[in-house]
Amino acid sequence: MRVRSRTAAAALITVATLAVGGPAAAAAPAPAPAGVTHEENPRVPEGAVWTEAYFPSADNSGVELHADVLRPANLPSHARTPVILAVGPYFSHAGQTGPEGWPRTGPSSRFADFTSGTDLFARGYTYVMVDLRGFGGSTGCLDWAGPGEQADVKAAIQWAATQPWSTGKVGMYGKSYDAVTGLIGNNLRQRALKAVVAQEPVWNMYNYLFSNEVPRPNVTGTPNAYNGIATLAPLPDDTERYRANAAYEQSHPECLADNLTNNNNPDLDSPYWRARNLAAQARGTSTPLFVTQGFIENNTKPEDMEEYLDNHHGVERGWLGQWEHVRGNETNEQGQLLMGRAGFFDEVMRFYDRYLKGARPSVHDPAYAIEDNTGEWRAQPTWPAPSSYTTATLSNGTYVDDGIASTLTVPAGQQWDMEHFTDPAPPAGLRLAPGDASSYFSWSTPVTSRLRITATPRITMNANAPGNVMVRLWDVAPDGTAVMFDENVALIERAGRVAFDLKSTDWTFEVGHQLGVQIGTIGSGSWRDTPSGNTIEVTRARLGLALQNPRFDVPTQGDRSPFLDTYLRQYTRTLTDVGEGTFPLALRSRP
């Protein structure tokens, strides 16, 4: 049975900030204050009226959530509109991930590009930002997208849908952590949630801190970073209630301590991580979903993306390509779109208008727009859309699990939160020679026609000793120039069968190129492995691949994303003594 949110009288207290910045005088529980306009406080977006609200989370824990509400200034206070909702850790009045030097309080500017770039208020939408528990003006302990934060998302959706100024139709918007909460919203199966836009999310929270029981370099840094965000000091002119909630951790120090220890279990099957496996929880969901994902992302990676999308049975839209941790509208100093494709906000609003207002768009947008490693864009009705599958039989071999080149090289000033973290650059001493004791290679025969490796490669193998293993895929040109385009690692707990997914990919091979499969120790600063020192013999290794024929691509607009060339510079090497090949890499003929 779906639980309705409490009545506005019981669950809502609206607080307006006066033009001079002081708290509003206590008001009778009749009409809510009109709120603050841009003219009264420049932190309020033009065309909007700002109020604040508080309501309980949905888990009966006593957690109180804070919301900043931005209503269209040109509409009466009682006018009903659809609501765009963002829920996350980055909406503190003081700043997103640290103090931003604001001279007075006001709503977060985190998605000011979205509200201004879409003329959101003029289009008749209300925009609501809700602080997850422990952040901003909300009480409670951080929960890393667990049951507590899932209850926060549920409460936020229900609250936004049941306000007197709401049509009852809610869409969610976000990037990174507040894209994660959009995925959570879909998983919660809330009837009021009509559409989700999620840019560069984490599809399974485990993967941000561990890879198949191997810790990532941010395994301790990320929890510490979010503790820092949770303890951001409020601004002097924030309301008394906001300031009291923001100081919650001072009287509950266990919140910060628990956040450092709760998530350090490397076992994916533990109750903690099962509760945060968003991809598995998406099974049978159907909220219309618009996602973006960089295949070569150096922060929130395409891991378990395919599982999430397979489990989701509703309308899907997606921009997938060769970029880093960026927004769909974001540009560099030269004015280049960092995703390479124009019209993100236009497409997002057609999506929202369709599912929150029932307005059929006059422009047809492809379900998926995808950029591969050549920088070319194509349209597809779904992703992935393989033409055929193959299982490559790899060579037997041995390697020494010595962790060569695994010294962590963290950039100075590295920020460890989900919004800013990037993998360390690949070490210059990366060992690639086929005869190197730290790894060995298997080679495909040269491809005879262009083909694309798409979807999520999967490796299975037998190992005769415990230790660590890294698998990397290389696109090798006839002259030995090679690009590493996919990788993952795993802990080998005991001798026997090992199986794991690599990252999802979309990589086109030219005629004459070979696939190189490198198996060896974790020679990368992207993980905090503990080398075993064992010599590990690998037998019966198989690589499952989904292949696609580029000949049937349907072009769509889009330019080469700038990060692709940065990635190619970082991950291109020259391989020597490339073998002739022991397994074919070819598309199966259509019957």
Side-chain angles (χ1 to χ4, degrees):
M1 177 178 180
R2 193 167 67 95
V3 180
R4 290 183 57 84
S5 63
R6 300 183 184 180
T7 64
L12 168 62
I13 297 177
T14 305
V15 183
T17 303
L18 300 178
V20 296
V36 180
T37 66
H38 175 76
E39 290 72 27
E40 295 169 313
N41 183 341
R43 291 192 63 181
V44 179
E46 293 187 65
V49 175
W50 170 48
T51 58
E52 299 178 63
Y54 297 88
F55 54 92
S57 187
D59 59 358
N60 298 315
S61 61
V63 166
E64 181 173 78
L65 302 177
H66 167 267
D68 288 302
V69 181
L70 295 171
R71 292 270 295 150
N74 63 332
L75 296 180
S77 60
H78 61 273
R80 299 174 69 210
T81 72
V83 180
I84 303 300
L85 172 68
V87 184
Y90 303 131
F91 299 118
S92 168
H93 293 169
Q96 295 180 49
T97 59
E100 294 174 350
W102 296 105
R104 65 188 301 181
T105 193
S108 172
S109 62
R110 174 162 171 76
F111 291 122
D113 58 341
F114 167 64
T115 58
S116 63
T118 59
D119 290 325
L120 191 70
F121 306 112
R123 296 176 74 119
Y125 284 88
T126 295
Y127 176 53
V128 175
M129 294 171 279
V130 175
D131 299 316
L132 284 171
R133 60 182 58 203
F135 295 103
S138 296
T139 65
C141 295
L142 313 190
D143 195 37
W144 193 239
E149 292 187 5
Q150 292 169 28
D152 297 348
V153 174
K154 181 178 181 180
I157 295 169
Q158 293 181 346
W159 182 86
T162 55
Q163 297 313 294
W165 38 256
S166 171
T167 61
K169 295 182 178 181
V170 178
M172 294 188 72
Y173 184 87
K175 178 238 179 183
S176 197
Y177 206 127
D178 32 50
V180 167
T181 59
L183 299 186
I184 290 171
N186 166 70
N187 291 357
L188 291 172
R189 298 165 172 82
Q190 296 294 290
R191 291 180 61 187
L193 183 62
K194 303 300 183 182
V196 171
V197 175
Q199 304 164 80
E200 311 304 302
V202 177
W203 306 87
N204 178 348
M205 301 305 290
Y206 174 87
N207 295 327
Y208 200 75
L209 300 182
F210 295 93
S211 298
N212 303 299
E213 301 196 19
V214 181
R216 295 193 59 81
N218 55 306
V219 67
T220 56
T222 291
N224 270 305
Y226 283 106
N227 278 356
I229 297 171
T231 52
L232 279 175
L235 296 176
D237 59 336
D238 272 314
T239 65
E240 181 178 349
R241 188 171 191 171
Y242 187 99
R243 293 197 305 270
N245 285 3
Y248 184 84
E249 287 79 12
Q250 294 179 17
S251 57
H252 296 81
E254 72 278 5
C255 291
L256 303 180
D258 289 348
N259 191 51
L260 298 178
T261 58
N262 285 345
N263 50 24
N264 61 10
N265 184 348
D267 181 7
L268 174 61
D269 292 324
S270 69
Y272 181 90
W273 289 118
R274 284 202 305 271
R276 293 159 176 80
N277 187 339
L278 307 184
Q281 293 169 6
R283 185 177 301 277
T285 57
S286 60
T287 309
L289 187 63
F290 188 154
V291 301
T292 74
Q293 178 66 63
F295 289 112
I296 52 178
E297 253 266 29
N298 49 13
N299 185 339
T300 56
K301 303 174 187 297
E303 298 172 300
D304 289 328
M305 172 177 71
E306 184 179 355
E307 180 185 356
Y308 192 104
L309 297 176
D310 283 349
N311 282 339
H312 176 256
H313 297 163
V315 172
E316 290 177 4
R317 299 276 286 284
W319 287 18
L320 313 178
Q322 313 298 323
W323 50 76
E324 71 272 54
H325 196 63
V326 295
R327 305 179 185 193
N329 62 296
E330 203 167 335
T331 59
N332 60 18
E333 294 178 355
Q334 292 73 43
Q336 295 173 289
L337 287 161
L338 294 183
M339 286 191 187
R341 181 173 165 86
F344 180 72
F345 283 154
D346 291 338
E347 193 167 331
V348 164
M349 292 314 299
R350 287 192 289 270
F351 183 71
Y352 281 144
D353 286 348
R354 172 69 180 90
Y355 295 105
L356 274 71
K357 291 185 174 181
R360 293 194 174 274
S362 58
V363 176
H364 173 74
D365 297 304
Y368 279 88
I370 305 157
E371 178 200 23
D372 72 3
N373 59 299
T374 68
E376 298 296 321
W377 285 79
R378 68 186 190 275
Q380 287 184 185
T382 188
W383 184 92
S387 307
S388 63
Y389 297 88
T390 188
T391 300
T393 300
L394 308 179
S395 303
N396 297 335
T398 61
Y399 66 91
V400 179
D401 180 27
D402 53 12
I404 292 294
S406 65
T407 301
L408 186 64
T409 53
V410 179
Q414 172 71 70
Q415 291 178 267
W416 298 96
D417 60 273
M418 197 182 296
E419 184 67 5
H420 295 98
F421 173 67
T422 58
D423 269 345
L430 197 64
R431 291 175 175 258
L432 300 177
D436 193 318
S438 297
S439 67
Y440 77 96
F441 281 79
S442 300
W443 314 98
S444 76
T445 55
V447 302
T448 56
S449 62
R450 294 182 82 230
L451 60 79
R452 179 178 299 122
I453 296 178
T454 189
T456 310
R458 183 168 179 81
I459 186 79
T460 60
M461 66 183 198
N462 279 0
N464 75 331
N468 303 278
V469 62
M470 168 182 275
V471 176
R472 282 180 156 171
L473 305 186
W474 296 81
D475 176 1
V476 187
D479 65 356
T481 302
V483 181
M484 193 281 291
F485 67 93
D486 204 353
E487 65 179 349
N488 209 349
V489 305
L491 177 69
I492 306 172
E493 293 189 83
R494 62 186 66 84
R497 198 70 171 155
V498 180
F500 57 94
D501 289 345
L502 279 66
K503 295 178 294 184
S504 293
T505 188
D506 205 79
W507 198 271
T508 298
F509 277 63
E510 303 297 335
V511 172
H513 284 222
Q514 294 174 261
L515 172 63
V517 183
Q518 183 185 14
I519 300 177
T521 193
I522 302 179
S524 167
S526 295
W527 286 273
R528 291 187 183 273
D529 57 300
T530 302
S532 67
N534 290 334
T535 297
I536 297 176
E537 180 181 1
V538 175
T539 58
R540 299 180 61 193
R542 305 288 187 270
L543 179 66
L545 298 170
L547 305 179
Q548 187 174 13
N549 191 339
R551 187 160 66 92
F552 301 106
D553 288 354
V554 177
T556 189
Q557 66 90 3
D559 296 326
R560 186 181 182 92
S561 53
F563 184 68
L564 175 56
D565 291 316
T566 300
Y567 181 90
L568 293 174
R569 287 194 299 271
Q570 290 178 335
Y571 289 94
T572 297
R573 299 289 188 271
T574 299
L575 299 183
T576 58
D577 301 324
V578 176
E580 294 183 358
T582 58
F583 63 89
L585 185 64
L587 295 158
R588 292 182 182 177
S589 300
R590 289 188 172 184

